[in-house]
Amino acid sequence: MPKKPVKPAARPKAKPAAKPAAKAAANLDETTLLRIAAALERLAPPQAPTFDDAAADAFIWHAEPAPGWLAPVPSINAVPIRLLQGVERVRDILLDNTQRFAKGLPANNALLWGARGMGKSSLVKAVHGAINAKKPHALALVEIHREDIPSLPALLGILRESKRRYVLFCDDLSFDAEDQHYKSLKAVLDGGIEGRPDNVILYATSNRRHLLPRDMMENEKSTAINPHEAVEEKVSLSDRFGLWLGFHSCSQEDFFAMLDGYCAAYGLKIDQKQLRAEAVEWSMTRGARSGRVAWQFIQDLAGRLGQPIRTLKP
């Protein structure tokens, strides 16, 4: 009788392999976890430093990391207001406006526009220095770059909480055809619900009176259904500034007066005839007469004479 086939013994079932994630987590020790935490902390954006309004009399606004922060400037690159020649009328107007603001009285935003190199930005810094020289820490100067204009509401939110008074300064402010940041600036200056804080005033410099290129305005005027409305939209930005202070190319007499003032202030010993002859030649090579050209000549002259240019008090 044939034997029945013997069934093989059942093999014990293998235990299911541990899940990769669970197995990796089980192998992590405290040192590894600390290394991962440190790496994640390095990848995170740094926290903005706390604003100390008493740290300096000047600050630079940085929009990144958000919401932005103010870096103190220990020493301001400025010339004394007495050395600014050929701009006496606009100098007195801006100085008077700023003095009223420093005293807590009503004052206007100011747009300093016109010829390049005629001391627009120098005047803003000189006025700030002159007021603080009479009353220390009366004003703080805050510089904001044109590309950071969209972050202006965040900056004003910080300054609004401070007890100091601030001159917000934007140098070389202008907008191109594709730039829509001017609309946000309009709302902040005048017209927004919150408005400009009482302790902040805005001074801007530009080579353009209306801050926008002429061809941009003319193109919109030619293509608009109502040309006047297109122009009004662009011009309304400069209207937010209560003061329009124009700077024009200086005469030769003003150019010489700038040179004489610099030489006297820095003790540069040179014959006046030689000074003027060399200065005229210098201005002809530059194709212009301006405060910037005069200062560049003075730096060259001081270097040739072997005399350092020391920092002057306001």
Side-chain angles (χ1 to χ4, degrees):
M1 194 172 169
K3 295 181 179 180
K4 294 182 179 179
V6 180
K7 293 182 179 181
R11 295 179 179 179
K13 293 183 179 180
K15 295 181 179 180
K19 294 182 179 180
K23 186 176 181 180
N27 292 333
L28 289 178
D29 55 11
E30 185 178 356
T31 304
T32 306
L33 291 173
L34 291 175
R35 290 174 58 189
I36 294 174
L40 292 174
E41 187 175 350
R42 288 193 298 269
L43 292 175
Q47 292 185 352
T50 304
F51 174 49
D52 179 9
D53 59 4
D57 283 334
F59 300 86
I60 297 179
W61 170 250
H62 298 278
E64 298 295 338
W69 59 289
L70 286 155
V73 179
S75 179
I76 303 173
N77 179 27
V79 298
I81 196 169
R82 64 182 180 274
L83 293 182
L84 298 179
Q85 302 290 331
V87 292
E88 289 80 6
R89 180 177 176 275
V90 293
R91 177 199 63 194
D92 294 342
I93 293 174
L94 188 67
L95 181 60
D96 178 67
N97 188 72
T98 313
Q99 285 174 334
R100 284 189 275 112
F101 172 71
K103 295 177 182 178
L105 298 174
N108 277 307
N109 299 317
L111 173 62
L112 289 70
W113 66 276
R116 67 185 189 278
M118 280 304 297
K120 297 184 292 294
S121 59
S122 296
L123 179 58
V124 173
K125 293 181 287 186
V127 165
H128 168 260
I131 291 177
N132 278 0
K134 291 184 177 180
K135 184 180 179 182
H137 314 300
L139 287 177
L141 186 67
V142 177
E143 182 176 11
I144 180 173
H145 300 129
R146 190 203 65 82
E147 57 270 19
D148 293 333
I149 289 296
S151 66
L152 189 54
L155 170 58
L156 294 182
I158 295 175
L159 300 182
R160 182 179 278 108
E161 302 300 323
S162 174
K163 294 181 179 180
R164 297 192 69 178
R165 304 188 72 77
Y166 297 89
V167 174
L168 188 57
F169 173 48
C170 185
D171 191 24
D172 196 20
L173 179 63
S174 61
F175 299 95
D176 298 326
E178 303 299 326
D179 197 341
Q180 299 296 313
H181 293 163
Y182 74 92
K183 294 183 178 180
S184 60
L185 179 59
K186 284 169 55 178
V188 169
L189 289 178
D190 184 20
I193 295 177
E194 197 169 21
R196 172 173 57 86
D198 293 335
N199 65 331
V200 178
I201 198 170
L202 175 63
Y203 288 172
T205 69
S206 177
N207 294 333
R208 301 168 178 165
R209 184 173 184 177
H210 294 298
L211 304 176
L212 300 164
R214 182 179 295 274
D215 57 349
M216 176 181 173
M217 298 172 64
E218 291 178 348
N219 288 341
E220 293 214 11
K221 182 176 180 180
S222 63
T223 57
I225 297 177
N226 190 330
H228 295 289
E229 290 183 356
V231 175
E232 287 292 326
E233 167 70 13
K234 307 303 179 186
V235 175
S236 61
L237 173 59
S238 56
D239 282 346
R240 260 61 176 185
F241 295 89
L243 287 180
W244 287 5
L245 303 178
F247 290 70
H248 309 284
S249 298
C250 67
S251 64
Q252 184 162 284
E253 289 73 18
D254 289 335
F255 186 64
F256 289 154
M258 296 173 187
L259 298 172
D260 293 338
Y262 282 132
C263 287
Y266 295 109
L268 302 179
K269 305 298 183 182
I270 183 175
D271 180 72
Q272 190 179 63
K273 290 184 179 180
Q274 181 183 353
L275 170 69
R276 299 192 173 190
E278 292 182 2
V280 168
E281 182 180 358
W282 180 275
S283 65
M284 290 178 66
T285 61
R286 297 301 304 273
R289 287 192 302 261
S290 68
R292 180 180 295 138
V293 173
W295 174 244
Q296 291 168 346
F297 171 76
I298 289 297
Q299 288 184 317
D300 179 78
L301 176 63
R304 288 188 282 112
L305 294 176
Q307 295 183 227
I309 294 181
R310 65 189 184 280
T311 303
L312 300 176
K313 295 182 179 180

